Amino acid sequence: AVVRSLYQRRCLCSKMAMSQVVVREPDLLDRKKASIRNAGTSKLQVIADFDGTLTKYWCNGARGQTSHGLLQQGNAEYDAKRQMLYDYYHPLEISPSIPIEEKTKLMEEWWEKTHGLLIEGGLTYDAIKKSVADATISFRDGVVQLFEFLEEKDIPVVIFSAGLADIIEEVFRQKLHRSFKNIKVVSNRMQFDERGCLVAFKGKTIHVFNKNEHAIDMAAPIHDEFGNLDGSDVNGTFVKDRTNILLLGDGLGDLGMSDGVSFENRIAVGFLNSNIEKSLKDYSEAFDIVYLNDASMWGVFNLVSELC
Ligand code: TMP
């Protein structure tokens, strides 16, 4: 019986994997869609993770790079030091056996050390531009069209990342050749001197396990693509007043990105990029919609069209 049930689970998983999208409770999803549509676009905001959510997990046959992973400081010694930190800390980040409090301390340590090395190793803005130009990174198909549609409808998008804001914004410039007035990046932001050398990081560090503490930043008005306040968001209202949320993430921790908003309705969309058989159950319980196999953003585009 155990073998049969394992076999049935395997069949179910492979069927779901082939079908690319899993919705555990279609009726609940339909109800959420109807409530959001009835409330109107002025109540809606999108909160998205960046790496592996807006960007492809696989890019031209290779693993897509993250905003941290693509960075070449132009200083081989420091690149190697950051790689050593990655090799040590990343297994701890994803280890299922370390309690979250302990992991949080370890992640604080990792981010602090990496940020320190970036400053000490003399990172320049020019090195960021070159790193992005050389990077294996690309947006999922349909992301541009999704952003254009949301901009047209004056729906704000908050991109929430434990990566590096300056790099994410450079990826937008180089890969999309444009910025969007409705997009705000909440991430670790660098401060450069007049020669273009990194001297400090602004504000509190955002790492993978404290993203939700920074949700409060979303209550601030939308910034322009360089992080400058423009005084209001696209509708002259604050993002926190938008109580219907479309959340896009690729990790279970990404669900915490909406903690700062007391929302009425939330549709959570998860991109399950790896360990599909092991994680599908948890993902399909936590997210309303789960996309598999490095799916495009067209499904989300169609969903948003239904909501507006
Ligand atoms: P996020 O993109 O989901 O917000 O998470 C950021 C990722 O960055 C996280 O999985 C760990 C990774 N990272 C690096 O690759 N190199 C680093 O130096 C640091 C601090 C994080």
Side-chain angles (χ1 to χ4, degrees), residues 87-107:
D87 295 342
Y88 176 75
Y89 284 105
H90 183 61
L92 305 177
E93 177 193 355
I94 58 172
S95 161
S97 58
I98 302 174
I100 192 84
E101 300 76 36
E102 201 179 316
K103 270 196 194 190
T104 302
K105 285 208 188 82
L106 290 163
M107 294 304 107

Side-chain angles (χ1 to χ4, degrees), residues 3 47 62 76 81 110 116 125-126 133 145 180 193 251 281:
V3 171
I47 302 175
K81 284 184 178 174
W110 182 14
Y125 200 85
D126 284 344
Q145 291 81 356
F180 295 86
D193 65 13
K281 184 172 175 292

Side-chain angles (χ1 to χ4, degrees), residues 70-88:
L70 66 81
L71 186 57
Q72 298 290 315
Q73 252 173 280
N75 179 333
E77 185 193 339
Y78 278 80
D79 286 339
K81 284 184 178 174
R82 284 186 299 113
Q83 183 60 41
M84 276 164 62
L85 289 179
Y86 180 90
D87 295 342
Y88 176 75

Side-chain angles (χ1 to χ4, degrees), residues 230-274:
D230 73 355
S232 64
D233 83 4
V234 283
N235 274 337
T237 57
F238 290 88
V239 182
K240 72 168 188 284
D241 294 332
R242 293 175 176 262
T243 49
N244 288 331
I245 294 175
L246 173 63
L247 182 146
L248 312 176
D250 73 328
L252 294 171
D254 289 334
L255 291 157
M257 295 190 299
S258 56
D259 284 359
V261 186
S262 48
F263 56 81
E264 284 170 59
N265 301 285
R266 183 186 74 179
I267 296 179
V269 177
F271 289 88
L272 177 49
N273 294 318
S274 59

